[in-house]
């Protein structure tokens, strides 16, 4: 059992205070914590007779050499901020290590003012407790991972499902409130554990009902049924024909690009016709779409072009001599990644026979490979920043929602820009690889804890009904910290973290 699982299992939210134990009110669990120990979430502890946030508050410094890597804030404490609040580089006070607004009758842990390009901006930061959250996972592969809507499991528990495939990628939807709170205790615990690991850029093994076992890690190549995926396809079979038909003209009589979705045949394809390609009498056992494009040539799988095929000749029917088939006709068959390729010539009975692969065709296969991007896993945290979290920003929470959608308020997550969905509420997505390491936490309710920052002009913030009396400067935050007594840590902002910015538009006639 993992450390996280043990904390879920052994914590007793109904425990009574004993001796020097203090009650932590930073989340709904309300732990009683003994001196020198941390609570169930490992984020707060009883140190020196007071509740302390155990991780440092992270302040990103946007130095000119913006390509630097973010320093993991859980390591190297001896390299932390030296106590000097003076710096000319712009800084972002992130919500990582800030603490939460729970219980939500009070302002956010840090409401910070600083001047950017002559404009006084306010950034409100808090670690939000997200019961309504999940992860959208993009896995670059043609391999068939499982049927759409198939259940995705971690450690045997359902944590999500397979959703619609995208171009060159398989997509998973993980988490969500129903897995976190609507199933068994084990399902909620494992779902939270899985989301936490994925969002903190750790590797997680997932199994798909009726499909594959996949190891997923943000920014790393997927491992599918034990095999590391090296590249994603250059395009579907039809697109590959369109891109490389000129490379094959004059070198081979026919080219078939095998693909689970759209298999391409150059002699029939519009690209081939424009180049003057002659008919070959080929017949494909699949559902013909437009000329040179075929659907369902085989079932999806782990073979050629994301099909079940180990022998690509299985998709061919009898060749038609009345339409150009002849002995000696040459044919290249290749997958959409260039990983599988073979060369054939028709014998006297118009049957394709494998021949040694010609050197003259190798360049075109290499070109397909060169045009394939590395296969990676992408993890997007998705959460609903609604409910009482907004009360830490303004006394009238709906004003914040309107301000976000009106582009008066710029939203970030651990300093990384987010995408805010249209419609009601503040539903956001962020690429976890753009956040500093270990930016996410959890509470055993179960729910994820994610950093979130709201930046807007000071006058707009006051008009919003914000907590003007709680506004502080960045140097003051660096020097004095906050209510949870944790350390402050300066870290160089990486490419994924955005410097404080002026919201792009003023609304309501301003």
């Amino acid at each position: 059992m993992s450390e996280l699982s043990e904390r879920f299992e052994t914590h007793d939210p109904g425990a009574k205070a004993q001796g020097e134990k203090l009650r932590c009110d930073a989340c709904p669990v309300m732990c009683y914590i003994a001196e020198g120990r941390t609570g169930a979430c490992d984020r707060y502890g009883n140190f020196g007779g007071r509740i302390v946030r155990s991780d440092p508050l992270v302040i990103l410094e946007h130095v000119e050499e913006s390509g630097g890597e973010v320093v993991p804030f859980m390591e190297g404490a001896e390299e932390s901020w030296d106590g000097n609040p003076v710096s000319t580089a712009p800084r972002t006070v992130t919500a990582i290590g800030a603490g939460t607004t729970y219980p939500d009758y009070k302002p956010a842990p840090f409401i910070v003012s600083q001047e950017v390009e002559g404009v006084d901006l306010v950034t409100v930061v808090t670690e939000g407790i997200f019961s309504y959250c999940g992860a959208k996972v993009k896995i670059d592969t043609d391999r068939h991972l499982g049927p759409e809507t198939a259940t995705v499991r971690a450690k045997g528990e359902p944590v999500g499902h397979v959703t619609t495939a995208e171009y060159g990628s398989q997509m998973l939807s993980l988490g969500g409130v129903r897995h976190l709170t609507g199933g068994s205790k084990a399902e909620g615990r494992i779902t939270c554990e899985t989301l936490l690991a994925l969002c903190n850029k750790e590797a997680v093994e997932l199994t798909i009902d009726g499909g594959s076992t996949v190891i997923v890690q943000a920014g790393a190549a997927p491992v599918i049924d034990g095999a590391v995926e090296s590249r994603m396809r250059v395009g579907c079979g039809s697109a590959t024909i369109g891109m490389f038909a000129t490379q094959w003209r004059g070198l081979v009589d026919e080219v078939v690009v095998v693909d689970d979705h759209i298999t391409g045949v150059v002699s029939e394809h519009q690209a081939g016709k424009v180049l003057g390609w002659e008919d070959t009498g080929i017949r494909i056992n699949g559902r013909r779409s437009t000329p040179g494009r075929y659907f369902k040539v085989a079932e999806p799988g782990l073979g050629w072009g994301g099909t079940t095929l180990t022998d690509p000749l299985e998709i061919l029917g009898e060749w038609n001599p009345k339409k150009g088939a002849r002995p000696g006709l040459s044919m290249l068959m290749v997958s959409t990644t260039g990983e599988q390729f073979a060369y054939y010539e028709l014998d006297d009975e118009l049957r394709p026979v494998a021949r040694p692969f010609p050197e003259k065709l190798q360049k075109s296969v290499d070109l397909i490979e060169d045009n394939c991007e590395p296969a990676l896993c992408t993890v997007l945290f998705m959460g609903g920043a609604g409910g009482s979290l907004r009360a830490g920003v303004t006394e009238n929470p709906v004003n914040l929602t309107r301000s976000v959608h009106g582009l008066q308020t710029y939203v970030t997550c651990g300093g990384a820009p987010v995408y805010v969905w249209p419609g009601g509420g503040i539903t956001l997505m962020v690429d976890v690889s753009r956040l500093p390491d270990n930016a996410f936490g959890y509470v055993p309710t179960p729910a994820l804890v994610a950093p979130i920052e709201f930046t807007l002009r000071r006058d707009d913030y006051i008009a919003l009904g914000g907590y003007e009396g709680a506004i502080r400067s960045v140097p003051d935050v660096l020097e004095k910290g906050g209510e949870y007594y944790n350390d402050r840590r300066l870290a160089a902002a990486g490419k994924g973290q955005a410097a404080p910015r002026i919201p792009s538009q003023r609304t309501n006639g301003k």
Side-chain angles (χ1 to χ4, degrees):
M1 182 181 294
S2 71
E3 181 180 352
L4 178 63
S5 296
E6 290 176 357
R7 290 181 181 278
F8 272 110
E9 292 287 356
T10 60
H11 177 66
D12 178 9
K16 302 297 181 182
Q18 297 178 7
E20 297 301 316
K21 288 184 177 180
L22 296 179
R23 190 173 193 181
C24 175
D25 67 355
C27 86
V29 175
M30 306 288 280
C31 296
Y32 285 96
I33 309 174
E35 171 65 34
R37 304 293 297 274
T38 57
C41 68
D42 206 28
R43 297 168 56 247
Y44 295 87
N46 179 353
F47 301 105
R50 59 192 184 187
I51 297 296
V52 176
R53 179 71 174 86
S54 54
D55 300 321
L57 173 70
V58 176
I59 297 97
L60 297 176
E61 190 161 37
H62 302 271
V63 293
E64 276 189 45
E65 48 275 15
S66 58
E69 293 296 320
V70 172
V71 179
F73 67 84
M74 293 293 288
E75 303 171 3
E78 69 280 358
E79 299 175 4
S80 295
W81 173 60
D82 63 5
N84 181 6
V86 178
S87 173
T88 57
R91 288 167 171 170
T92 298
V93 178
T94 74
I96 301 170
T100 68
T101 59
Y102 189 88
D104 300 296
Y105 62 87
K106 59 186 178 182
F110 294 96
I111 303 176
V112 186
S113 174
Q114 64 178 312
E115 187 175 293
V116 176
E117 298 178 12
V119 178
D120 193 359
L121 297 184
V122 170
T123 300
V124 183
V125 308
T126 186
E127 291 180 294
I129 300 174
F130 288 84
S131 294
Y132 290 85
C133 73
K136 307 304 179 189
V137 180
K138 174 176 173 282
I139 302 171
D140 298 336
T141 182
D142 267 352
R143 317 300 177 197
H144 178 63
L145 302 184
E148 284 184 14
T149 76
T151 298
V152 178
R153 300 179 185 273
K155 299 182 179 179
E157 294 293 334
V159 299
H161 65 274
V162 178
T163 185
T164 51
E166 303 301 338
Y167 204 12
S169 304
Q170 304 293 316
M171 311 293 287
L172 307 181
S173 180
L174 306 180
V177 69
R178 294 194 178 184
H179 286 293
L180 284 168
T181 68
S184 67
K185 183 178 180 181
E187 180 181 340
R189 183 183 75 242
I190 296 301
T191 298
C192 186
E193 181 179 305
T194 300
L195 293 177
L196 178 64
L198 284 172
C199 290
N200 279 337
K201 297 175 273 190
E202 299 172 10
V204 171
E205 182 176 278
L206 303 169
T207 58
I208 299 170
D209 288 1
S212 299
T213 296
V214 187
I215 297 176
V216 175
Q217 183 176 14
V223 181
I224 303 170
D225 291 332
V228 179
E229 189 78 351
S230 60
R231 62 180 72 94
M232 66 184 298
R233 68 179 182 175
V234 65
C236 68
S238 173
T240 306
I241 292 287
M243 284 185 276
F244 302 112
T246 55
Q247 306 292 326
W248 296 314
R249 184 73 178 113
L251 299 181
V252 66
D253 297 316
E254 184 64 278
V255 179
V256 179
V257 183
V258 182
D259 177 37
D260 171 37
H261 301 128
I262 306 173
T263 290
V265 180
V266 72
S267 66
E268 300 176 0
H269 196 279
Q270 181 68 13
K273 293 301 183 185
V274 169
L275 293 172
W277 220 284
E278 297 180 358
D279 291 338
T280 64
I282 193 171
R283 180 182 175 186
I284 302 293
N285 296 326
R287 181 157 61 88
R288 192 170 186 262
S289 171
T290 54
R293 302 169 76 248
Y294 291 85
F295 302 157
K296 295 287 290 183
V297 298
E299 293 300 313
L302 303 179
W304 277 63
T307 70
T308 54
L309 296 171
T310 55
D311 179 4
L313 295 179
E314 292 180 22
I315 71 172
L316 300 185
E318 292 186 1
W319 293 71
N320 189 343
K322 295 181 179 180
K323 293 186 177 181
R326 54 179 171 74
L329 186 146
S330 60
M331 176 180 61
L332 166 67
M333 300 190 82
V334 64
S335 68
T336 49
T337 58
E339 291 175 284
Q340 298 101 356
F341 54 90
Y343 174 76
Y344 304 89
E345 293 179 358
L346 298 189
D347 64 12
D348 291 341
E349 297 181 2
L350 303 184
R351 293 176 301 189
V353 178
R355 301 296 188 196
F357 199 81
E359 182 65 29
K360 63 183 181 180
L361 291 177
Q362 189 63 52
K363 181 179 177 181
S364 67
V365 173
D366 292 343
L367 190 59
I368 293 175
E369 292 187 6
D370 288 344
N371 277 268
C372 293
E373 297 175 87
L376 296 175
C377 299
T378 303
V379 178
L380 299 181
F381 168 76
M382 183 169 178
S388 53
L389 177 152
R390 296 170 297 168
V393 182
T394 170
E395 294 176 342
N396 190 359
V398 73
N399 284 346
L400 177 62
T401 304
R402 292 168 179 164
S403 178
V404 168
H405 287 289
L407 303 183
Q408 285 181 303
T409 296
Y410 178 63
V411 186
T412 53
C413 185
V418 308
Y419 173 77
V420 178
W421 283 64
I426 304 173
T427 303
L428 58 88
M429 293 194 307
V430 64
D431 180 354
V432 303
S433 67
R434 303 187 73 173
L435 276 73
D437 294 343
N438 300 310
F440 292 83
Y442 77 100
V443 293
T445 49
L448 278 199
V449 176
I452 187 167
E453 302 97 25
F454 302 96
T455 299
L456 67 167
R457 298 169 186 256
R458 186 183 183 119
D459 56 347
D460 284 340
Y461 180 63
I462 294 170
L464 202 70
Y467 302 100
E468 184 176 8
I471 296 175
R472 304 167 60 187
S473 67
V474 175
D476 185 66
V477 169
L478 282 166
E479 183 179 353
K480 300 176 182 176
E483 65 174 310
Y484 291 113
Y485 306 102
N486 52 334
D487 293 334
R488 282 77 68 206
R489 181 178 181 86
L490 280 176
K495 293 180 181 179
Q497 287 76 47
R501 56 173 283 185
I502 303 168
S504 60
Q505 179 177 315
R506 303 294 295 275
T507 58
N508 299 324
K510 296 183 180 180

